[in-house]
Amino acid sequence: MNKTIRYAMLLAGMTSLPAMAHIGYGGRDFGSFDGTLGASQTIANQSATGNFGWIDGTDADWGDSHRLRAYRFTLTEDATVNISFQAQVFTPAPTEANPNPTAVEGGLIPGFSLYAGLAHVAPFGADHDGGAGSVAIRDAIAGAGNTEGSFRALTDWAITNDNNDPASQFTYIGHIYDGLGVDYGTGLIAGADGVADQYVSRTFSLAAGDYSIFVGGADYANQDILPLLPYGVSGTVAVVPEPEAYAMLLAGLGLMGAMVRRRAGRG
Ligand SMILES: [Ca+2]
Ligand SMILES: [Ca+2]
Ligand SMILES: [Ca+2]
């Protein structure tokens, strides 16, 4: 579609929505974990606007971070964590501006990327795609006017606030998205989980530090469907055994099984 027409349609869609939130973690901080196995935190009743925010950050013109939700967590020690997100239907709490909210859409096709690093948090101003500093960061890499936003799902990216504070750096660690895989003309986007069940889960072995997760939809074609609706999502971060330890445990169980069988055979 002609870029100008698409932009006009986007603007038309935005006027019917509440004010767009810049990048923030309010209500979406999974908290702090040490290496204690089994520690876990779930955050439900969140929503992303539109069902395409994540996959739109895999293409040549990058993506708009307003179409995703940012989450954070902290590891005080090295740990292996499982991160999962799934579609969720819920009715938002009433507010003064919206005393009778309707239920969110339940059809989120989730995708997420994990990064080391955090966006600016208070007392600093919130990061957003439209500020002069953020545009300058993008133009320096992709050329002037070649991007629709700062979000990149498959690699590092950076963004800043209206005060031009030193940029927030997101160092890419990994990603996953729901379903059999999307190809919008440039080949299959790697990282589909192979099961279209509106659920994604991936395990990462991480060093101590601060992490951001950006979650959004993976329905590339959906970005032309207006108005943009909120799609509900629930997510969990859990400390799990290292893959190596888990493999050793399974091998150990297998060995015990063999010994038991041999003993039984002798009897
Ligand atoms: Ca894009
Ligand atoms: Ca787009
Ligand atoms: Ca899945």
Side-chain angles (χ1 to χ4, degrees):
M1 187 186 295
N2 177 303
K3 234 179 184 167
T4 311
I5 293 175
R6 178 175 290 178
Y7 189 59
M9 287 174 67
L10 267 174
L11 282 175
M14 285 190 302
T15 57
S16 65
L17 292 168
M20 294 195 303
H22 297 332
I23 296 177
Y25 304 104
R28 290 183 301 278
D29 183 353
F30 286 107
S32 193
F33 302 90
D34 56 20
T36 305
L37 291 180
S40 131
Q41 187 66 45
T42 294
I43 297 174
N45 296 359
Q46 296 293 316
S47 63
T49 305
N51 200 355
F52 60 89
W54 183 83
I55 197 90
D56 200 17
T58 67
D59 64 8
D61 65 4
W62 310 3
D64 180 352
S65 68
H66 297 96
R67 302 282 84 90
L68 298 110
R69 282 298 191 203
Y71 296 71
R72 64 173 289 185
F73 65 93
T74 301
L75 298 180
T76 58
E77 297 171 28
D78 297 0
T80 299
V81 298
N82 178 266
I83 301 171
S84 60
F85 285 92
Q86 60 191 316
Q88 183 202 358
V89 180
F90 68 96
T91 302
T95 62
E96 211 168 313
N98 187 5
N100 295 302
T102 52
V104 297
E105 299 294 306
L108 183 73
I109 300 171
F112 74 80
S113 298
L114 171 67
Y115 309 85
L118 293 178
H120 285 112
V121 293
F124 295 96
D127 295 332
H128 70 106
D129 304 61
S134 296
V135 172
I137 291 168
R138 304 207 297 273
D139 286 357
I141 300 170
N146 288 332
T147 52
E148 62 179 346
S150 301
F151 174 68
R152 305 189 74 182
L154 308 177
T155 190
D156 302 349
W157 56 290
I159 191 168
T160 190
N161 55 24
D162 285 331
N163 303 321
N164 269 325
D165 287 312
S168 305
Q169 305 284 343
F170 298 111
T171 304
Y172 169 83
I173 295 170
H175 73 275
I176 189 164
Y177 69 102
D178 186 41
L180 302 178
V182 171
D183 180 351
Y184 45 75
T186 56
L188 201 63
I189 305 305
D193 71 1
V195 184
D197 57 359
Q198 301 183 319
Y199 171 83
V200 285
S201 165
R202 189 170 166 188
T203 296
F204 303 88
S205 290
L206 303 171
D210 290 311
Y211 295 90
S212 293
I213 310 165
F214 282 81
V215 182
D219 180 1
Y220 196 76
N222 181 273
Q223 61 186 290
D224 291 327
I225 299 172
L226 296 171
L228 297 176
L229 298 170
Y231 285 77
V233 64
S234 167
T236 299
V237 170
V239 180
V240 297
E242 288 175 57
E244 296 78 16
Y246 199 66
M248 280 173 64
L249 179 71
L250 286 178
L253 285 172
L255 196 65
M256 279 171 61
M259 286 167 67
V260 168
R261 277 195 299 279
R262 200 158 57 201
R263 199 165 289 175
R266 229 186 279 149

